[in-house]
Amino acid sequence: MAKTFNVNGTCMPDRHYMVDLTSRLVQIRKMVEAENYFTINRARQYGKTTILTALAAYLKPDFDVISLDFQGISTADFETESRFVAAFSRQLLFAAKSLTSEVRNELNAYATGREKDVTLSVLFMTLLKACGDNEKKIVLLIDEVDSAANNQVFLDFLAQLRFYYLNRNVYPVFQSVILAGVNDVRSLKRKLRPEEGHKENSPWNIAAEFCVDMGFSTEDIAGMLCDYESDYHTGMDIRNIAELMFEYTSGYPYLVSALCRIVDEKLPGEKEFPDKTAAWTLDGVYEAVKRLEKEDNLLYQSLIGKLKLFPELKVGLQELLFNGKGIPYVATSDFIKDATMYGFIRNDNDRAVISNRIFESVLYNYFISEEFLGNKLYNAGEQEKNQFIVGGHLDVKRVLEKFIETFGELYGDEDEAFVENEGRKYFLLFLKPIINGVGNYCIEPQTRNSERMDIMIFYRGEQSILELKIWRGNAYNERGEKQLSGYLDYFHMKKGYMLSFNFNKKKTRGIKEIILGDRVLIEAVV
């Protein structure tokens, strides 16, 4: 059977194109050998289950690995200790093949209910017996611990693990316990009891820090593409394609695999991409990015769901995206912890930034979509969008002219604070219906701050650079012009655009052309 790029469930080396996990497995094994108990917390579809499956096989020659999945334990099974013990015992009997007959008999009694009202302390006596009698040291892996979130029985289970870990010089215990999920179980106590929100005495405070980078590097992506290329011989430029994929995904495993899957399975056979050779190009990757950003997949649904559950998370991300607010990456901040845990942000030189360019576009589109209905700027862009397309090309200058006119009519009397906080969002609202379905845009991360934001607009294979900025005087404006000119040099472009939000009462609203060497800057002032 031919290999595929997998975006659903566990990746298997004989069925799927995968990155080489060896270096990660070596690092995790060192933690296991050091008798660490730890948690693998990563966002949804970040490869947790795949790494656990590979780890179990990697450790198997030297350890007995018991792999459990709490998705197999129902909510009702967490209602009482005895029900949890029964459900846990059933999973253990299925997963653990090396247990002695005595241990299996005890677990079978718990699982079938022959032993009534069994408590966690009784279960752990049996687990200690299993650890002491087994020929090899036992490593316990538990996936999807989120299924037990906000549950007192699970917290008591963690407390038992903690007690015996701290007394491992007295009791025979697991060599290592690894819990995997999105939510950090060290914060479950805070979430379980809101009235005790200031208490941080989690029963899992024995967990060692897990520092293994599970994201894909450019080299990881290139290695996976080399494996694919050896099968299909497309002649692709592996290095450049890997770099472009990393640029848009920052190595988020699901996004990388999803892009590869679109290029491999969806593009070949279309007019622009008649075969795999035509698809595996930079143009093919750009097309895959555009399509992936427009999907309504389970990962995006999970992200948006968190915004609805946690309004403070939504507010912080809007500040980061639209207002260019600099947010320091402070690991103890609840916003930073939650936004990182759910995959929204990452640490970039001690500053919080959106995890990757695809998530950024998805979030921009979501936030803007909330204001589609009834927004006059969006409606204006929608009603007049045909005038901005000339011969199949996007007339960015005309877009700016019309935006200035419409914005002035609708919001000309608003104060400075309104324009500074809402101006950028309103331009994107105006632009969105004009390019929707054909074009796309992204925000250049290195220029996103409180005073400057560069937008790259893509339309039918053409790119345009537009700088959105807050007016801070002539000297600042001239520096901005030179910066934009340098940006054009980098992308080998002759024309760029600038939109300035000017609060000067004596400002001149309108469009002008500025010549800088062989570059033309179209500057709009509103």
Side-chain angles (χ1 to χ4, degrees):
M1 184 175 69
K3 287 185 178 181
T4 61
F5 291 102
N6 182 41
V7 295
N8 299 307
T10 307
C11 290
M12 303 178 183
D14 59 330
R15 299 183 183 181
H16 306 124
Y17 293 108
M18 296 174 56
V19 304
D20 185 355
L21 299 176
T22 304
S23 64
R24 297 165 177 82
L25 297 176
V26 169
Q27 294 179 69
I28 300 174
R29 182 189 174 96
K30 290 179 180 178
M31 298 183 70
V32 170
E33 291 175 341
E35 302 181 354
N36 289 153
Y37 286 24
F38 56 96
T39 306
I40 300 178
N41 291 118
R42 293 295 184 272
R44 286 292 175 207
Q45 295 180 290
Y46 210 88
K48 299 182 294 296
T49 302
T50 295
I51 199 73
L52 286 182
T53 302
L55 180 64
Y58 187 70
L59 295 176
K60 189 175 181 180
D62 302 304
F63 300 94
D64 276 332
V65 181
I66 300 176
S67 298
L68 308 183
D69 189 332
F70 272 7
Q71 284 186 118
I73 299 181
S74 70
T75 301
D77 288 331
F78 284 102
E79 290 181 355
T80 65
E81 279 194 40
S82 59
R83 293 192 66 168
F84 173 77
V85 170
F88 186 88
S89 298
R90 287 193 291 271
Q91 280 214 2
L92 204 60
L93 284 167
F94 180 80
K97 306 303 181 185
S98 62
L99 300 177
T100 64
S101 57
E102 181 182 359
V103 169
R104 296 189 71 85
N105 287 337
E106 290 183 12
L107 290 174
N108 193 54
Y110 308 152
T112 59
R114 292 202 309 271
E115 288 280 345
K116 304 294 185 182
D117 300 321
V118 182
T119 63
L120 285 169
S121 60
V122 173
L123 171 66
F124 268 82
M125 284 296 103
T126 301
L127 296 180
L128 295 180
K129 188 180 297 183
C131 291
D133 294 347
N134 209 61
E135 291 186 8
K136 295 180 181 178
K137 293 288 186 178
I138 298 176
V139 177
L140 179 63
L141 310 182
I142 304 179
D143 199 5
E144 298 293 344
V145 290
D146 303 72
S147 304
N150 296 346
N151 186 284
Q152 187 60 50
V153 172
F154 177 61
L155 291 177
D156 294 341
F157 174 77
L158 293 181
Q160 291 283 313
L161 283 174
R162 178 180 184 272
F163 172 80
Y164 288 109
Y165 173 82
L166 293 176
N167 291 279
R168 60 192 182 280
N169 60 323
V170 177
Y171 300 101
V173 297
F174 295 112
Q175 170 74 16
S176 179
V177 175
I178 306 170
L179 308 181
V182 174
N183 292 288
D184 188 345
V185 295
R186 290 173 296 184
S187 67
L188 287 183
K189 187 152 189 167
R190 173 173 60 84
K191 293 182 182 297
L192 180 64
R193 298 192 177 105
E195 71 277 8
E196 298 181 354
H198 295 294
K199 293 187 177 182
E200 297 294 339
N201 54 336
S202 165
W204 197 239
N205 57 10
I206 58 171
E209 185 177 7
F210 183 77
C211 298
V212 178
D213 185 359
M214 291 173 58
F216 296 169
S217 66
T218 300
E219 289 70 25
D220 287 330
I221 300 170
M224 182 168 59
L225 294 180
C226 280
D227 189 15
Y228 176 90
E229 184 67 2
S230 67
D231 289 338
Y232 289 97
H233 310 288
T234 68
M236 74 169 84
D237 185 337
I238 290 176
R239 184 68 192 183
N240 281 338
I241 288 178
E243 288 177 350
L244 185 59
M245 287 187 169
F246 182 82
E247 180 182 343
Y248 276 91
T249 66
S250 297
Y252 199 108
Y254 171 85
L255 297 179
V256 174
S257 295
L259 287 179
C260 290
R261 183 169 179 264
I262 292 172
V263 175
D264 177 48
E265 299 181 16
K266 303 292 183 65
L267 298 188
E270 296 187 357
K271 181 179 179 181
E272 296 85 354
F273 307 101
D275 52 28
K276 289 184 183 293
T277 296
W280 282 103
T281 58
L282 297 183
D283 286 342
V285 176
Y286 283 124
E287 178 64 21
V289 168
K290 186 170 69 174
R291 297 190 189 191
L292 182 57
E293 289 174 348
K294 293 178 181 179
E295 281 188 2
D296 181 24
N297 56 49
L298 293 176
L299 175 58
Y300 299 166
Q301 291 172 15
S302 175
L303 291 174
I304 301 306
K306 296 299 184 295
L307 298 181
K308 295 176 180 178
L309 282 175
F310 305 109
E312 67 281 3
L313 190 60
K314 179 179 179 180
V315 170
L317 292 171
Q318 285 180 315
E319 288 286 332
L320 192 61
L321 286 168
F322 289 110
N323 299 339
K325 183 176 181 180
I327 300 179
Y329 194 96
V330 180
T332 54
S333 160
D334 285 345
F335 167 76
I336 295 296
K337 285 191 288 188
D338 287 344
T340 303
M341 183 167 62
Y342 296 129
F344 289 104
I345 65 170
R346 57 184 172 86
N347 186 353
D348 182 25
N349 294 319
D350 295 327
R351 292 179 65 251
V353 299
I354 302 300
S355 290
N356 55 74
R357 292 175 67 167
I358 291 178
F359 279 8
E360 189 169 275
S361 293
V362 170
L363 290 172
Y364 271 118
N365 289 336
Y366 172 71
F367 289 137
I368 289 174
S369 72
E370 291 189 308
E371 303 194 30
F372 280 175
L373 294 178
N375 183 276
K376 296 178 181 178
L377 269 170
Y378 181 86
N379 291 340
E382 175 69 29
Q383 293 167 7
E384 304 183 46
K385 61 183 180 182
N386 291 335
Q387 69 174 285
F388 306 116
I389 311 302
V390 180
H393 303 281
L394 177 66
D395 188 339
V396 181
K397 181 178 180 181
R398 180 58 183 151
V399 172
L400 293 174
E401 288 173 340
K402 193 60 181 180
F403 175 76
I404 292 171
E405 177 186 328
T406 308
F407 189 88
E409 292 173 356
L410 297 175
Y411 305 110
D413 296 330
E414 297 287 350
D415 60 21
E416 177 176 334
F418 167 82
V419 176
E420 185 162 357
N421 290 332
E422 304 293 334
R424 288 162 166 167
K425 180 167 63 176
Y426 281 0
F427 175 76
L428 295 178
L429 271 167
F430 184 74
L431 177 67
K432 182 66 177 177
I434 295 171
I435 63 173
N436 199 32
V438 179
N440 199 4
Y441 64 82
C442 68
I443 311 299
E444 292 301 317
Q446 64 268 38
T447 64
R448 188 198 307 108
N449 56 49
S450 60
E451 295 182 342
R452 181 183 174 208
M453 180 186 289
D454 284 342
I455 299 177
M456 182 73 80
I457 303 172
F458 304 91
Y459 194 87
R460 294 192 182 279
E462 296 180 341
Q463 300 178 13
S464 302
I465 297 175
L466 169 66
E467 180 179 311
L468 300 181
K469 60 192 293 293
I470 306 300
W471 180 274
R472 298 292 186 231
N474 287 323
Y476 176 81
N477 195 59
E478 290 173 0
R479 289 200 302 274
E481 292 168 355
K482 292 180 180 179
Q483 288 172 334
L484 180 55
S485 178
Y487 211 41
L488 293 175
D489 284 338
Y490 179 80
F491 285 99
H492 309 292
M493 295 181 178
K494 297 294 184 181
K495 182 183 290 186
Y497 304 87
M498 182 183 293
L499 174 61
S500 299
F501 293 94
N502 190 337
F503 310 121
N504 191 326
K505 299 296 184 182
K506 299 180 180 180
K507 67 186 176 188
T508 301
R509 182 184 289 121
I511 296 274
K512 64 178 180 179
E513 288 193 4
I514 300 170
I515 306 300
L516 290 176
D518 61 347
R519 302 285 186 265
V520 177
L521 305 185
I522 308 297
E523 183 170 350
V525 177
V526 64

